[in-house]
Amino acid sequence: MTEPDAPLFRTWQAQRGARTMVIDRAENARIHVPGEGWKWDMASQSYNVNVGHGRREVIEAMGRALDAAVLTAGPNVDLPERNILAERLRSMAGMDRVFFALSGAEAVENALKIAMLVTGRRKVVARRHSYHGATLSTLAVAGDPRREPFWEGVAGTWIDDPYPPRMPDGGRPSDWVESLEAALAAEGPERVAAVVLEGLTGTNGVQIPPPDFWPKARELADRHGFLLVADEVFSGLGRTGRTFGFEHFGGAPDLIVLGKGLTSGYAPLSAVLVSAPVARHFDDEVLWCGLTHYASPIGCAAALACLDLIEGDGLVGRAKTLGKALIDVLADLAKHDDRIADVRGRGLQIGIELACPAESVSRALWNEGYFVPAKRHMLYVCPPLTVEAAALEAFPEVLARALAGASAEGST
Ligand SMILES: Cc1ncc(COP(=O)(O)O)c(C=O)c1O
């Protein structure tokens, strides 16, 4: 709890009695809370610590960068780690150029600016149940309720994405595709610069798109000349058991946005990966984008070390295998426990939809040694991709106990 005279604002809550957490040690997938002991970090803090806490490899790489780099170098100073990381990212994604920023929101904004510059258009279409960051324009674009204090009554142009979706059937597309087409028609597709989609939705419910959605979005982008932007800030770099979340669903994007897992929280860095045809536009046109801390050498060093760990430790495959096993067991549990309405996800990006508000279940899980974030009726299970298998194997039983405990508490 925050003291009344605390100097630091706490995020996303009123300050009086704000909830805080003290962590004095963190190792791989666990955090140590003084007086409470070790907890499994099923949130990867902010869904970003893909390679685990306390990784010496990352810390040492940042230390070497501190010694070697000209830390005060301006944005267009050529530093080796900047070029090495950009080269690594573009070849990993089959893209052409890389633009760096510091946060996920800032990278999404730059991706949208690039789409506007290339197309000469201004409109952006997004999914209703999506989040693309907390800056004014990313809040304006997405439908996440966190937009409301700023954009209440000002609707974005949203694709309705009811869940579960109506599947394509007998020549009729899914309701998501119909809604995408309707959104484009409402704006005039010739005015749309970009459709931005999370590679796999994060804290707006981990909805799995119907199979026609991404391929159709690609087809419509080609037909109407807008750019398809995959926001992989949450779902990228192995989280879903593929390098990028969109790979599960087809429909290659023109731009890919990375954040969070790029540096696993060890340093601030995000990136926009840009395909060759889009990048060519800027060969002779000005790229009206830039920031003081562009491609920070410490961030680049952290990202390179994280990519080494993701590749070297086979974390993409690990997320796939561990995640599938956990989803299967949880889905089985859901069949016998009507307090679980649905289990969905890919890899270690898992959402558990409960039939009751999730907050009390999250508290019960905390008491069982698991930090599992809750939002409305959803629990989110997104541990570091390095999480010990035993922690996941034990989880369904712990969840069943927490659900029983929470409903007993609710009935007293
Ligand atoms: C899909 C997605 N995009 C963008 C962002 C914004 O990232 P940041 O908080 O680093 O600005 C987030 C953060 O949760 C996210 O989940």
Side-chain angles (χ1 to χ4, degrees):
M1 290 283 226
T2 301
E3 299 302 323
D5 62 347
L8 179 67
F9 270 127
R10 309 299 181 169
T11 64
W12 302 116
Q13 52 191 327
Q15 302 303 296
R16 194 190 309 283
R19 278 187 305 174
T20 62
M21 188 192 285
V22 178
I23 300 177
D24 61 356
R25 272 173 291 159
E27 274 174 21
N28 196 31
R30 293 187 309 160
I31 48 178
H32 186 264
V33 180
E36 300 215 37
W38 288 96
K39 309 277 178 192
W40 292 108
D41 183 7
M42 305 302 258
S44 299
Q45 290 305 290
S46 296
Y47 310 104
N48 59 339
V49 190
N50 288 17
V51 302
H53 296 282
R55 297 297 301 255
R56 296 306 314 164
E57 298 91 329
V58 186
I59 296 162
E60 282 162 16
M62 290 166 66
R64 285 194 297 276
L66 273 171
D67 282 340
V70 184
L71 291 172
T72 45
N76 291 324
V77 175
D78 257 323
L79 297 176
E81 46 278 89
R82 289 177 170 169
N83 286 311
I84 295 168
L85 178 60
E87 183 59 56
R88 183 113 173 234
L89 288 171
R90 77 168 175 180
S91 51
M92 177 189 231
M95 289 291 194
D96 188 73
R97 286 264 159 108
V98 181
F99 182 89
F100 287 110
L102 294 175
S103 67
E106 204 179 11
V108 172
E109 292 222 5
N110 279 287
L112 299 181
K113 283 172 68 181
I114 287 170
M116 289 179 184
L117 290 169
V118 169
T119 61
R121 307 170 184 181
R122 294 292 171 268
K123 295 284 179 183
V124 176
V125 174
R127 284 185 43 224
R128 186 180 293 276
H129 294 103
S130 65
Y131 180 68
H132 296 294
T135 55
L136 271 177
S137 61
T138 51
L139 285 172
V141 161
D144 187 287
R146 281 171 275 187
R147 76 195 305 280
E148 274 164 25
F150 311 97
W151 296 103
E152 193 179 13
V154 183
T157 305
W158 293 317
I159 302 156
D160 272 314
D161 45 12
Y163 208 83
R166 197 196 67 234
M167 289 292 157
D169 177 26
R172 190 173 171 196
S174 66
D175 44 3
W176 287 31
V177 165
E178 282 183 353
S179 172
L180 168 59
E181 287 176 326
L184 292 171
E187 285 300 347
E190 70 289 352
R191 284 204 285 276
V192 174
V195 170
V196 55
L197 304 171
E198 282 165 273
L200 175 59
T201 320
T203 54
N204 273 270
V206 197
Q207 298 96 345
I208 309 295
D212 61 345
F213 182 65
W214 272 87
K216 191 68 180 183
R218 178 69 264 165
E219 186 191 317
L220 291 168
D222 292 337
R223 190 187 314 158
H224 297 300
F226 60 80
L227 301 187
L228 185 57
V229 180
D231 178 349
E232 295 281 352
V233 169
F234 195 128
S235 55
L237 298 170
R239 165 69 49 206
T240 70
R242 304 287 290 262
T243 302
F244 304 111
F246 72 81
E247 291 178 275
H248 293 280
F249 313 115
D254 302 292
L255 304 172
I256 298 174
V257 183
L258 296 176
K260 292 190 188 285
L262 181 58
T263 57
S264 272
Y266 288 83
L269 191 78
S270 58
V272 187
L273 317 188
V274 179
S275 70
V278 177
R280 289 291 69 75
H281 174 88
F282 297 103
D283 287 348
D284 299 304
E285 296 290 334
V286 174
L287 176 71
W288 292 101
C289 301
L291 55 146
T292 302
H293 293 288
Y294 186 72
S296 132
I298 303 296
C300 290
L304 281 166
C306 287
L307 293 178
D308 282 347
L309 290 172
I310 290 169
E311 283 172 21
D313 294 357
L315 296 185
V316 183
R318 199 166 188 279
K320 180 179 175 188
T321 314
L322 289 178
K324 179 159 184 354
L326 180 57
I327 290 171
D328 286 351
V329 180
L330 289 172
D332 205 44
L333 184 65
K335 282 189 203 139
H336 306 105
D337 191 332
D338 56 14
R339 290 167 298 199
I340 305 177
D342 194 18
V343 177
R344 49 186 181 257
R346 291 283 186 275
L348 289 173
Q349 187 169 331
I350 302 173
I352 304 174
E353 187 173 334
L354 302 180
C356 58
E359 191 57 46
S360 59
V361 182
S362 170
R363 271 201 308 276
L365 284 165
W366 175 265
N367 294 335
E368 294 268 1
Y370 283 77
F371 170 43
V372 183
K375 207 169 156 196
R376 295 183 283 275
H377 285 62
M378 295 293 300
L379 291 171
Y380 293 99
V381 179
C382 305
L385 313 184
T386 50
V387 62
E388 288 79 350
L392 300 184
E393 283 155 17
F395 181 72
E397 211 178 301
V398 172
L399 175 64
R401 266 204 310 276
L403 282 165
S407 30
E409 191 186 302
S411 62
T412 52

